Amino acid sequence: MARSMWVWVFGLLCALGAAWYVGAQRIEILTGSLSDPDPKWGMVLMHFLLAIVSLGAPLWFAWLSTKQIGQRFKLAEDYGFKASVAKAYEGYRKEAARIDEKLEARLFESALSRVEEAPLRFVDDPSHGTPWHELADSSDFKEALKNIPEFRDKVFKLVNSTINRSRPSSKGKDEEEAVQQVQ
């Protein structure tokens, strides 16, 4: 468990380093394009879009790494708790047996119920593939969709236009109907 957490920490550091390096290179190129006396706005836009695209992968991996580190930390805490319950049971078992057999049985049942609990109760949060999925699943975003009609309309219009651009016209209607059903 600890080894896999350190692998993700190393991955996080590499991703942040890559984002810093790529970002510095892109900013330098973008600044050079903008410092021309007569900047070509098409090139500036292309460099800007290239900066966003090239930063996407390292930032996504950094986000993924932080999620993985958090999950592994929760699991390590849970297994540490279970180990302390097992040690406490061993210490109390001898005293409970000396006092009363029913107390020993009750102590065993209590310790066993704690040890049997699935560690996945800490990791059962939904696994989002991207930060956009996490945003769309957040309660604040859903609340904004309910309470602000203009925001909801703009979001669904953006989703519909994205679906229509990415699909051939015959398939786009199915997805558009599915989005309309969500409204």
Side-chain angles (χ1 to χ4, degrees):
M1 180 93 51
R3 183 175 285 156
S4 70
M5 187 166 16
W6 285 111
V7 168
W8 282 107
V9 168
F10 179 73
L12 173 63
L13 292 174
C14 288
L16 292 175
W20 170 79
Y21 179 76
V22 169
Q25 296 295 320
R26 291 280 108 208
I27 293 290
E28 187 177 317
I29 293 170
L30 191 58
T31 304
S33 295
L34 286 171
S35 66
D36 285 345
D38 185 27
K40 295 181 176 67
W41 292 106
M43 289 296 287
V44 170
L45 180 63
M46 183 199 65
H47 285 303
F48 179 73
L49 292 175
L50 200 57
I52 291 173
V53 169
S54 59
L55 282 173
L59 292 178
W60 174 80
F61 192 79
W63 172 81
L64 179 67
S65 296
T66 57
K67 298 286 270 184
Q68 292 296 318
I69 291 167
Q71 282 186 342
R72 277 155 180 72
F73 185 75
K74 287 178 184 178
L75 285 174
E77 281 184 335
D78 186 51
Y79 285 126
F81 171 73
K82 288 181 179 184
S84 67
V85 165
K87 286 179 185 176
Y89 170 73
E90 271 305 307
Y92 291 135
R93 183 182 58 85
K94 293 175 187 171
E95 289 298 317
R98 190 173 60 89
I99 296 172
D100 185 19
E101 286 184 18
K102 290 180 183 179
L103 180 62
E104 182 182 14
R106 201 172 114 215
L107 178 65
F108 179 72
E109 286 178 27
S110 175
L112 192 58
S113 68
R114 293 291 163 228
V115 173
E116 282 181 338
E117 289 177 350
L120 294 179
R121 70 182 186 280
F122 290 118
V123 188
D124 277 345
D125 296 336
S127 287
H128 300 98
T130 66
W132 298 113
H133 293 143
E134 190 170 356
L135 172 70
D137 196 34
S138 72
S139 60
D140 292 335
F141 183 78
K142 290 177 182 177
E143 191 69 28
L145 286 177
K146 287 180 187 174
N147 295 335
I148 307 170
E150 303 86 32
F151 178 66
R152 185 187 72 219
D153 294 341
K154 285 183 182 182
V155 168
F156 285 121
K157 200 177 289 185
L158 176 66
V159 168
N160 284 331
S161 69
T162 303
I163 289 172
N164 289 335
R165 278 187 282 161
S166 66
R167 303 272 187 209
S169 61
S170 64
K171 292 183 181 177
K173 292 180 182 180
D174 295 336
E175 284 86 1
E176 188 173 323
E177 289 173 7
V179 170
Q180 295 295 335
Q181 289 175 355
V182 171
Q183 292 179 354

